[in-house]
Amino acid sequence: MPSTALALINRPSAAAAEHKPGGYAFKLVDPAGHHLSVLDLGVTRGDGIFETISVGFGTPQALEPHLRRFSRSAASLGLPEPDLAVWRTAILAVLAELDPAPEAWVKTVMTRGIEGDGRPTGWAYATHSGDFTAARTEGIRVVTLDRGYRHDVERTSPWLLAGAKTLSYAVNRSVLREAARRNADDVIFVSSDGYVLEGPTSTVLFRRGNTLITPGTGLGILEGTTQGSLFELAAQRGMRTGFELLSPDQLAAADAIWLVSSVRHAAPIRELDGAARRVDVELTAAMNDHLATRVS
Ligand code: PLP
């Protein structure tokens, strides 16, 4: 069995009337083959959407929240509504192709398709995960960087697509190079009016006493599926949960901070803007156990 697998989703017409559930399907293909046109707008313009879903012992985790977010991103970009029954089946089919492994991930991508063709391109690709032990146990060094948008950008300027998971991630990669220049591993974006937002591929989570808190939605940031799973864990542990708009100084005053995401899971922050921080070892371990063993 291979360590990667790929399914191509048949390209439906852009005409909404033709997007009947079950009206199109997918096929499994050789992941080493050539499947994408050089004219695909996903490649030439970054015009498309994606999701990256953790897979634990063969089971996709938080699958339904990921698929819901995929649909929301499609709607933001004016892409055809994805037929989730087809995507769900394609995801399970590529996972059935993979060698069994404790941790893997599957990525779903839908682009606006080949220029002039009018039909989206879609695929689901799965592979084994890297080793994130150091980030999960020792923690990460993080710097705050200005994102250049106000915290209310999603409402004032929806055409900027803040809060949609688009393929245009060059900025989300560029900030990691800036982090490296500043001797850090990752980034927390701050709005131009001074509010804590999210990481380039993660959600900010912090503990104050017995409460687990995240900045929340409507700030031009993604609604994190991992954060959703960790709020369930918090409830099981008798912790309170909440949403809070806050400044970097208020964040620095928290008892513990994490960047949480699919695949890497909970990475405790051990240094923020050059200042060392205490890692909540026990809660971090409980979080990562919970995330690794999710069965839905
Ligand atoms: N915010 C951004 C910008 C992301 O790209 C991601 C995931 O890649 C997240 C937050 C975390 O989302 P999730 O927990 O669903 O992986």
Side-chain angles (χ1 to χ4, degrees):
M1 281 177 122
S3 61
T4 59
L6 173 67
L8 301 181
I9 314 295
N10 282 358
R11 293 189 292 126
S13 156
E18 292 180 35
H19 296 138
K20 299 188 196 83
Y24 53 101
F26 65 90
K27 64 176 175 190
L28 289 169
V29 295
D30 179 358
H34 301 284
H35 306 289
L36 201 59
S37 163
V38 294
L39 295 179
D40 196 288
L41 289 162
V43 177
T44 58
R45 305 266 193 211
D47 193 357
I49 58 169
F50 75 105
E51 283 294 321
T52 305
I53 303 164
S54 292
V55 178
F57 299 97
T59 302
Q61 297 171 321
L63 177 59
E64 296 309 316
H66 276 290
L67 290 176
R68 280 197 293 277
R69 196 169 67 188
F70 197 52
S71 290
R72 282 202 303 276
S73 296
S76 299
L77 270 71
L79 286 166
E81 188 183 342
D83 183 338
L84 295 187
V86 172
W87 285 90
R88 203 179 280 116
T89 320
I91 289 166
L92 297 177
V94 289
L95 293 181
E97 290 286 298
L98 274 192
D99 272 333
E103 293 190 45
W105 51 262
V106 59
K107 185 179 281 234
T108 59
V109 182
M110 182 162 76
T111 81
R112 204 171 297 283
I114 294 167
E115 187 140 25
D117 176 272
R119 292 178 299 163
T121 304
W123 67 91
Y125 171 83
T127 191
H128 293 156
S129 298
D131 181 359
F132 294 101
T133 311
R136 291 174 188 168
T137 55
E138 290 158 30
I140 53 174
R141 301 161 305 166
V142 172
V143 287
T144 53
L145 292 182
D146 182 5
R147 190 175 231 171
Y149 294 149
R150 285 169 51 96
H151 77 285
D152 53 0
V153 62
E154 191 175 319
R155 189 172 49 77
T156 60
S157 317
W159 49 87
L160 291 179
L161 305 177
K165 200 163 166 66
T166 78
L167 290 173
S168 310
Y169 258 43
V171 167
N172 303 48
R173 309 305 288 178
S174 144
V175 294
L176 294 182
R177 295 190 292 276
E178 181 59 26
R181 285 191 280 271
R182 299 179 186 210
N183 292 319
D185 310 301
D186 211 329
V187 167
I188 292 178
F189 284 125
V190 177
S191 67
S192 57
D193 50 347
Y195 294 105
V196 172
L197 296 174
E198 64 182 347
T201 57
S202 58
T203 305
V204 176
L205 204 60
F206 60 98
R207 180 178 68 76
R208 195 185 289 135
N210 197 35
T211 309
L212 206 54
I213 309 169
T214 190
T217 53
L219 306 172
I221 66 179
L222 291 189
E223 186 176 347
T225 64
T226 314
Q227 169 262 310
S229 298
L230 291 173
F231 271 22
E232 287 166 15
L233 172 71
Q236 286 166 23
R237 290 171 63 97
M239 294 180 77
R240 287 187 300 271
T241 56
F243 301 93
E244 189 177 312
L245 196 58
L246 79 171
S247 68
D249 285 348
Q250 288 169 318
L251 180 68
D255 295 316
I257 318 174
W258 296 263
L259 286 182
V260 305
S261 54
S262 305
V263 188
R264 188 174 68 181
H265 294 170
I269 297 183
R270 67 175 168 88
E271 191 185 293
L272 182 61
D273 286 330
R277 300 194 52 87
R278 199 180 76 79
V279 167
D280 184 337
V281 175
E282 194 272 330
L283 184 54
T284 303
M287 286 177 169
N288 280 316
D289 281 352
H290 177 76
L291 294 171
T293 53
R294 283 173 296 173
V295 289
S296 66

